[in-house]
Amino acid sequence: MQETTWDRVVSFIQRKIFRSYKARLDHQYKHGGWEWLGRLDELAHHQILAGYFNYLKRGGTILDLGSGEGVLNDSIQKQNYSRYVGVDLSGEAARIGNEKRGDEKTTFYQGNMDTYVPEGTFDVICINEALYFSGDAVKLLNRLQAYLAPDGFFMISLLSPKGDAIWSNLYPYYEFLDENKVTNIRNVTWTCRILKPRSR
């Protein structure tokens, strides 16, 4: 679909005047601004999450919140899941995800993770590099517990030390079942964890 001058003007006003984060994301995705997520130096933390899924829930279902266009989906690989749902605030990211990766068991939607209501339950709910954008991480995970299948778990990746406060807030409510840290050549470190609700 050809972008008209009017489309560009509306996009500019939303991004620059109203400071719409969603409009900025859509613009960035449309113009390749997030393609760097697929670089080699980003691969290791995606592979840790994919390894968790493939080792513990191969053949299962996964909800990927803050999925972007689905870079993590490439690491998990289609033959290893029965259903993958990616949700991102950017409708453009969801469009690209469906265009590049969508099929009968892989779907991307536009939605806000804090308000998105999943259809059905999932073996794994993943939030990869996106939990910082939630208004309240604990409240979000508490709400999403209802959409975890029996023996399901959360997979979360956060930058260190940027995500340290989020981990501290989650710890009283969630048991950390496993943890891996990975540092790339640019000295960027991620902490990847599997979480499940603590028994009350």
Side-chain angles (χ1 to χ4, degrees):
M1 182 178 188
Q2 188 79 19
E3 185 179 46
T4 66
T5 302
W6 179 249
D7 293 332
R8 289 192 293 276
V9 168
V10 169
S11 175
F12 178 83
I13 290 170
Q14 288 175 333
R15 289 181 290 115
K16 301 295 184 178
I17 296 173
F18 295 121
R19 303 282 187 212
S20 165
Y21 183 63
K22 180 189 175 309
R24 272 193 310 239
L25 281 177
D26 285 340
H27 178 79
Q28 291 166 351
Y29 272 105
K30 187 173 206 162
H31 298 285
W34 289 89
E35 289 178 355
W36 58 271
L37 290 172
R39 293 186 319 214
L40 178 62
D41 60 356
E42 291 284 322
L43 182 64
H45 72 284
H46 297 292
Q47 289 297 317
I48 289 170
L49 295 175
Y52 281 149
F53 181 82
N54 292 332
Y55 183 78
L56 296 168
K57 294 294 182 180
R58 184 186 303 263
T61 57
I62 182 167
L63 172 62
D64 185 3
L65 294 174
S67 65
E69 63 182 67
V71 173
L72 179 62
N73 179 273
D74 296 341
S75 292
I76 293 174
Q77 301 182 349
K78 290 180 185 283
Q79 70 270 18
N80 294 321
Y81 60 81
S82 58
R83 179 176 169 226
Y84 172 100
V85 174
V87 178
D88 198 88
L89 184 61
S90 169
E92 187 65 18
R95 184 194 65 75
I96 294 168
N98 282 316
E99 187 176 280
K100 289 183 175 180
R101 300 169 178 90
D103 61 18
E104 67 281 350
K105 63 182 189 174
T106 309
T107 310
F108 293 85
Y109 298 103
Q110 186 279 323
N112 181 324
M113 75 172 89
D114 282 332
T115 57
Y116 179 76
V117 177
E119 291 184 22
T121 60
F122 293 85
D123 295 307
V124 174
I125 297 177
C126 179
I127 307 175
N128 180 21
E129 289 303 302
L131 201 49
Y132 330 100
F133 304 110
S134 170
D136 184 330
V138 173
K139 183 177 176 182
L140 172 63
L141 266 61
N142 288 347
R143 180 178 68 82
L144 291 172
Q145 286 181 35
Y147 303 99
L148 279 176
D151 297 319
F153 57 82
F154 293 102
M155 279 190 326
I156 297 175
S157 171
L158 293 169
L159 284 169
S160 298
K162 182 179 180 179
D164 291 353
I166 295 172
W167 291 126
S168 294
N169 290 338
L170 291 173
Y171 183 75
Y173 307 98
Y174 292 89
E175 181 180 357
F176 299 166
L177 302 177
D178 195 53
E179 171 186 315
N180 274 281
K181 287 192 178 194
V182 61
T183 302
N184 71 8
I185 198 165
R186 294 182 299 115
N187 206 32
V188 177
T189 300
W190 293 266
T191 302
C192 304
R193 285 181 167 141
I194 300 174
L195 292 74
K196 65 186 276 188
R198 290 190 184 278
S199 300
R200 296 277 173 193

